[in-house]
Amino acid sequence: MNGFERRKALKKNNILEASLSLFLKNGISKVSVSEIAKVADVSQVTIYNYFESKDNLIGEVYRYYVHQVWEEYLRLFNSKIPFPEKVKTMIFDKTLVANQINEEFLEYFMKNYMQEDSYIMKFYTETALPQFLELIAEGKEQGYIDKSISDEAIMLYIQMFADHMRREDIASSLLPLTEDLTKLFFYGIFGKGME
């Protein structure tokens, strides 16, 4: 990559970063292209040259966001920490998902990018899901997960548990219960070894 291409890529990345930051904080409709340009330290014309429209920029921001979050998950999956710590991090660590996601940003994402034929769903199906299934296989192999439980049920359980734990209105009250909740997650109310 030559100097011109490097500067162009850096400028585009700055626009995506600025847009994401503003959208997460304020939603989409309240953020103007001029605000994005100011935060990214570029002109509005530059934004339109790179993305053509605010709608195209929004789509690129969502793809960028998904890839950022996914990189965090990959670092976790590929780390040498024990399987239970990986799952605990997935459930309780808010750095894997932005602490404050504007409700409009999330609603727009769900409405426009979660259809079966979307880029995001294709990415989830082809890239993320196989990695999550590998993690489940790791847990089964190490004896942390009952091999008779379907992968689908485990994925749904992890997602429900994680979504609930990340809710802002309960997150602080759950912090002292993290260890208990982790045991409950893995062993249920009967505890380890109960059959």
Side-chain angles (χ1 to χ4, degrees):
M1 184 183 291
N2 66 33
F4 173 74
E5 290 170 339
R6 204 170 16 257
R7 284 190 302 279
K8 187 175 176 182
L10 181 62
K11 206 175 278 192
K12 186 174 183 181
N13 192 66
N14 288 345
I15 295 167
L16 291 171
E17 281 283 336
S19 301
L20 178 59
S21 173
L22 289 166
F23 291 159
L24 286 173
K25 183 178 177 188
N26 303 316
I28 294 169
S29 59
K30 292 181 182 175
V31 176
S32 67
V33 172
S34 63
E35 282 179 88
I36 295 168
K38 184 176 180 182
V39 173
D41 196 26
V42 297
S43 71
Q44 292 181 57
V45 172
T46 300
I47 293 175
Y48 286 111
N49 283 340
Y50 285 21
F51 300 98
E52 296 178 11
S53 68
K54 185 177 177 184
D55 284 339
N56 286 347
L57 173 60
I58 292 166
E60 285 290 319
V61 167
Y62 279 115
R63 285 188 280 281
Y64 179 75
Y65 176 67
V66 165
H67 284 277
Q68 274 193 322
V69 172
W70 182 242
E71 287 301 316
E72 292 297 317
Y73 276 109
L74 278 180
R75 278 192 277 284
L76 175 65
F77 293 163
N78 294 325
S79 71
K80 299 294 184 198
I81 64 174
F83 176 79
E85 289 299 314
K86 289 180 183 180
V87 173
K88 187 194 285 189
T89 301
M90 283 174 55
I91 294 170
F92 295 105
D93 189 350
K94 290 180 174 240
T95 61
L96 291 175
V97 177
N99 283 337
Q100 299 286 331
I101 298 180
N102 180 279
E103 195 173 317
E104 183 197 11
F105 181 83
L106 187 58
E107 284 174 11
Y108 192 94
F109 178 78
M110 298 304 284
K111 180 181 171 192
N112 294 294
Y113 295 99
M114 295 305 286
Q115 293 97 11
E116 274 187 49
D117 61 342
S118 73
Y119 170 84
I120 304 294
M121 289 307 293
K122 186 176 178 185
F123 178 84
Y124 174 76
T125 304
E126 295 176 4
T127 305
L129 187 58
Q131 279 291 151
F132 280 113
L133 293 175
E134 278 185 37
L135 182 66
I136 290 169
E138 177 185 329
K140 287 181 176 182
E141 185 65 33
Q142 294 177 13
Y144 291 106
I145 296 177
D146 182 340
K147 291 180 181 179
S148 69
I149 300 173
S150 74
D151 292 349
E152 293 79 12
I154 294 165
M155 288 291 294
L156 179 61
Y157 187 59
I158 289 172
Q159 190 60 51
M160 288 186 321
F161 205 89
D163 288 347
H164 191 71
M165 295 302 109
R166 289 193 189 106
R167 283 183 33 196
E168 287 301 316
D169 57 332
I170 64 166
S172 61
S173 63
L174 293 177
L175 199 55
L177 302 174
T178 300
E179 288 303 317
D180 285 347
L181 290 168
T182 302
K183 287 178 189 168
L184 187 61
F185 177 86
F186 279 110
Y187 306 118
I189 59 173
F190 287 117
K192 190 173 182 178
M194 296 292 288
E195 308 250 343

